[in-house]
Amino acid sequence: MYTQALNNNSDAADRTIEDAAHTTAFQARIDAEARIEPNDWMPAAYRKTLVRQISQHAHSEIVGMLPEGNWITRAPSLRRKVALLAKVQDECGHGLYLYAAAETLGASREELVDAMLAGKAKYSSIFNYPTLTWADIGVIGWLVDGAAIMNQIPLCRCSYGPYARAMIRVCKEESFHQRQGYEIMLTLCRGSAAQKAMAQDALNRWWWPVLMMFGPPDQASQHGDASTKWKIKRFSNDELRQKFVDATVPQAQYLGLSIPDPGMTQDEEGHWRHGAIDWSEFKQVLAGNGPCNRDRLAARRKAHDDGAWVREAAAAYAEKRKFRQAAQAAE
Amino acid sequence: MTAPSISVSETPLVLYTLRRADDALILGHRLSEWCGHAPMLEEDMALSNMALDLLGQARTFYTYAAAVEGNGNDEDKLAYLRDVRQYRNLLLAELPNGDFAHTMVRQFFYSAFADLYWRAMMTSSDATLAAIAAKSEKESAYHLRHSSEWIVRLGDGTEESHVRAQRAIDDLWAFTGEMFAVDDSERGLIEAGIAADPAALRPAWLGTITAVASEATLVLPGNDWMQQGGRSGRHSEHLGHLLSELQSMQRTFPGATW
């Protein structure tokens, strides 16, 4: 669904001395807004940053299937059931697409997935919150996908070609998901008192975690500089967060819902200024202590482990077939 | 407060249409349970695809059943407000997913039948049913190809996958007979050229099943005792649990629009 500014590895420390001429030419291409393609020379730190970011993004798509998947079997109408299943399937497609983009940088899907299952790779913290009611499916589409779009639209111009191209398609689908989510909210808010209360409750629970999706405040972000120079990141966490809040407040007003932030004010330029974010909660969720961290990893590990014999069977059959075809050809 | 079940006037054509709708909904629901939990991402996609096809079929059949019945019911009332005794699907469709082999064998048995059945239904004298059949046939042809390929991979893969695939065939075999059964209600529709006769399709079905099983080095059971009951609402214990989950929102919030 989206990638998060979780990046706290110290690339600068790992960076070895690169060929100075290569580096200069590389940066000149980036500065000229040219795309870097898989076979082009690139600094090791650029490659590493991209593999980390793209794989975190892919893991987020796959883990992100779980909270919404939680409602596929209980969707309240056949139309909603089909739309939700198709949406979760889209997320899976995004994951596949992104793993393929990471593979162009020399990282295999298998090793990336293993790192995630081992708890060594991150995914978006938002998916560590539970979906308790149907309204959560509306809020996820409206706000979580809405925040994802804010983050991903600039990535369509990312300097790395395969990632940028993947993002163009992903953004189209996400924007459809967002409208679908908003339409769920609209239906709830025009429905019974119980449905409207369900919508407000979901907004209350998701609002702050969604703001945290943009990552730590700029002064605390350890990572922006290199990514900005390489044109992987084009806006700061706080800039994107502000854009999102400005776009979302009028949408909430239209629904007749209150943003659960008593400190929110509108400044003279028209920007909606949110109150203080509880970053200790964010840190706890990143550290594995969110409400669903254990459940999410357990579900992914179970799917992986239960499916091992199937993957082995497919590989064994493919081997046998290759062998038989070779034997046939030799006859 | 919970929403009570509706009553449905099951004329032969309504009953016929509901049976096909229920097959598609229940099997589609089962497949949708895999989404996010499949052995590989490609199968998350494929199982969801098949589920979406089946749910789409269910919606058109329910809508048609409601129109034929003409009592103000609609696709959601028919899906969400009938209880287990009112459901008319094949027992095969409601059986739990089990392991991946059980899911694929279930799909294989059903799709090998559905592909033949929808093709035969394309000449139905009922234009709506013929149109739904034409769309469903394209989908079931893909489902049959996908599940057949997996039966071969699992049967001729590893020792473990072979054992699991054979066990799934042995477990599910007794639920295949119901696909070919015809009761009095359906007999009239067959004679009127509205419904295809499933019994006539069994030899071709058995031919497909036998060929794939043989390529997969799997054996079809000799046992020919067949379970029945789904078509008249005598289900396995599994369906009630499926429905309590499927229907929970509509039952909890009577009359709400979602």
Side-chain angles (χ1 to χ4, degrees):
Chain A
M1 194 168 298
Y2 126 96
T3 185
Q4 186 168 47
L6 301 165
N7 321 305
N8 42 22
N9 292 10
S10 173
D11 286 331
D14 298 344
R15 203 180 305 172
T16 51
I17 299 162
E18 310 273 4
D19 178 328
H22 271 133
T23 308
T24 309
F26 172 82
Q27 190 60 45
R29 289 187 62 197
I30 299 233
D31 293 342
E33 299 286 335
R35 289 266 183 278
I36 306 301
E37 296 299 336
N39 293 329
D40 295 345
W41 185 90
M42 63 186 83
Y46 177 82
R47 186 184 298 274
K48 193 175 158 193
T49 296
L50 278 168
V51 168
R52 185 187 56 227
Q53 178 165 337
I54 297 171
S55 62
Q56 280 178 6
H57 192 164
H59 302 330
S60 301
E61 300 281 358
I62 300 308
V63 177
M65 294 169 73
L66 299 172
E68 290 182 281
N70 184 37
W71 278 89
I72 290 171
T73 54
R74 289 178 293 165
S77 71
L78 292 179
R79 175 174 161 258
R80 294 294 186 200
K81 188 182 184 69
V82 166
L84 179 59
L85 178 54
K87 178 188 194 270
V88 178
Q89 189 195 33
D90 281 350
E91 311 298 357
C92 184
H94 297 171
L96 271 172
Y97 216 48
L98 286 159
Y99 284 126
E103 282 179 337
T104 67
L105 292 159
S108 75
R109 193 209 300 187
E110 200 178 6
E111 67 179 287
L112 297 173
V113 168
D114 284 348
M116 190 257 283
L117 296 176
K120 288 181 194 154
K122 293 192 170 88
Y123 57 86
S124 178
S125 58
I126 196 74
F127 302 119
N128 290 315
Y129 290 86
T131 50
L132 300 181
T133 72
W134 172 250
D136 293 33
I137 300 306
V139 167
I140 287 180
W142 172 35
L143 298 183
V144 175
D145 291 338
I149 292 165
M150 283 292 169
N151 268 313
Q152 287 170 6
I153 292 281
L155 288 173
C156 297
R157 294 188 291 130
C158 157
S159 59
Y160 188 58
Y163 193 30
R165 288 188 288 274
M167 280 304 102
I168 290 170
R169 173 169 151 178
V170 168
C171 281
K172 280 185 190 152
E173 292 182 355
E174 293 296 5
S175 127
F176 182 71
H177 297 165
Q178 193 206 8
R179 275 176 289 174
Q180 209 168 59
Y182 193 72
E183 200 256 327
I184 290 176
M185 297 305 286
L186 204 55
T187 307
L188 292 174
C189 291
R190 287 173 177 170
S192 66
Q195 285 174 298
K196 188 156 186 190
M198 193 189 277
Q200 182 64 58
D201 169 64
L203 176 58
N204 293 349
R205 284 182 287 111
W206 288 90
W207 175 254
W208 293 105
V210 165
L211 292 193
M212 295 172 200
M213 283 175 67
F214 295 93
D218 293 349
Q219 74 261 27
S221 179
Q222 300 167 27
H223 184 67
D225 291 351
S227 283
T228 305
K229 187 182 79 184
W230 288 327
K231 297 196 175 169
I232 297 170
K233 193 174 176 69
R234 291 185 182 256
F235 297 98
S236 76
N237 295 352
D238 286 336
E239 282 170 337
L240 289 168
R241 188 165 17 242
Q242 186 59 50
K243 260 184 160 175
F244 172 78
V245 171
D246 286 339
T248 304
V249 172
Q251 292 168 358
Q253 288 170 339
Y254 185 78
L255 292 170
L257 297 177
S258 336
I259 303 278
D261 178 0
M264 181 170 276
T265 53
Q266 194 172 24
D267 68 16
E268 54 279 11
E269 286 169 8
H271 292 297
W272 290 95
R273 301 295 180 185
H274 59 80
I277 293 173
D278 178 6
W279 290 110
S280 64
E281 175 180 325
F282 183 66
K283 282 187 195 125
Q284 283 299 328
V285 177
L286 286 193
N289 298 324
C292 298
N293 294 57
R294 283 172 184 78
D295 290 346
R296 300 295 183 238
L297 267 187
R300 286 313 307 161
R301 282 179 190 145
K302 183 173 190 316
H304 190 78
D305 294 347
D306 289 355
W309 70 269
V310 179
R311 297 189 300 275
E312 284 159 16
Y317 177 73
E319 264 315 298
K320 282 187 195 176
R321 215 175 124 159
K322 211 161 65 182
F323 181 76
R324 282 173 201 154
Q325 277 166 349
Q328 227 167 20
E331 273 171 22
Chain B
M1 186 167 65
T2 57
S5 295
I6 55 168
S7 65
V8 181
S9 315
E10 289 181 337
T11 62
L13 183 56
V14 170
L15 177 59
Y16 173 87
T17 309
L18 274 180
R19 284 171 171 172
R20 271 73 215 172
D22 291 347
D23 286 346
L25 173 62
I26 299 303
L27 186 55
H29 182 97
R30 282 296 188 213
L31 290 175
S32 80
E33 293 172 352
W34 275 103
C35 184
H37 309 278
M40 59 193 79
L41 297 179
E42 287 79 358
E43 274 312 296
D44 278 295
M45 302 287 286
L47 292 164
S48 299
N49 249 338
M50 294 195 286
L52 285 166
D53 287 343
L54 289 165
L55 294 173
Q57 291 173 18
R59 293 186 68 187
T60 51
F61 277 122
Y62 283 131
T63 300
Y64 186 50
V68 173
E69 191 204 7
N71 275 347
N73 286 324
D74 58 27
E75 58 168 7
D76 284 335
K77 283 185 185 157
L78 289 170
Y80 291 95
L81 298 176
R82 283 180 304 138
D83 70 20
V84 67
R85 299 281 288 115
Q86 294 174 291
Y87 258 77
R88 302 292 178 227
N89 58 280
L90 298 165
L91 298 174
L92 180 67
E94 72 199 42
L95 297 177
N97 286 334
D99 64 9
F100 187 73
H102 277 77
T103 291
M104 272 304 150
V105 168
R106 185 184 62 194
Q107 196 62 41
F108 171 57
F109 283 160
Y110 177 77
S111 303
F113 166 75
D115 190 44
L116 293 166
Y117 189 76
W118 298 133
R119 211 174 304 152
M121 280 299 292
M122 285 161 67
T123 57
S124 166
S125 63
D126 182 308
T128 306
L129 291 180
I132 302 173
K135 180 174 176 286
S136 304
E137 194 278 327
K138 291 193 189 84
E139 294 165 347
S140 56
Y142 161 75
H143 302 176
L144 174 59
R145 197 180 80 195
H146 188 76
S147 55
S148 301
E149 285 170 0
W150 269 115
I151 300 307
V152 174
R153 274 188 213 113
L154 297 181
D156 194 18
T158 63
E159 207 171 312
E160 178 179 8
S161 70
H162 179 86
V163 169
R164 286 177 183 263
Q166 186 61 57
R167 196 181 301 148
I169 285 183
D170 295 345
D171 288 348
L172 298 176
W173 183 249
F175 297 93
T176 57
E178 198 176 23
M179 297 190 289
F180 305 99
V182 174
D183 62 5
D184 290 344
S185 163
E186 215 156 301
R187 176 66 55 201
L189 296 176
I190 294 170
E191 282 160 9
I194 293 170
D197 184 357
L201 305 173
R202 193 162 189 280
W205 177 82
L206 196 58
T208 305
I209 299 291
T210 307
V212 173
S214 146
E215 194 187 343
T217 71
L218 296 165
V219 184
L220 298 179
N223 173 15
D224 56 3
W225 169 254
M226 291 292 157
Q227 297 290 344
Q228 291 193 37
R231 291 296 190 219
S232 54
R234 281 177 288 114
H235 289 278
S236 70
E237 291 177 348
H238 305 295
L239 185 64
H241 295 282
L242 184 156
L243 292 180
S244 66
E245 192 171 342
L246 172 79
Q247 300 182 337
S248 60
M249 292 293 287
Q250 290 272 348
R251 296 285 189 179
T252 310
F253 299 93
T257 301
W258 301 98

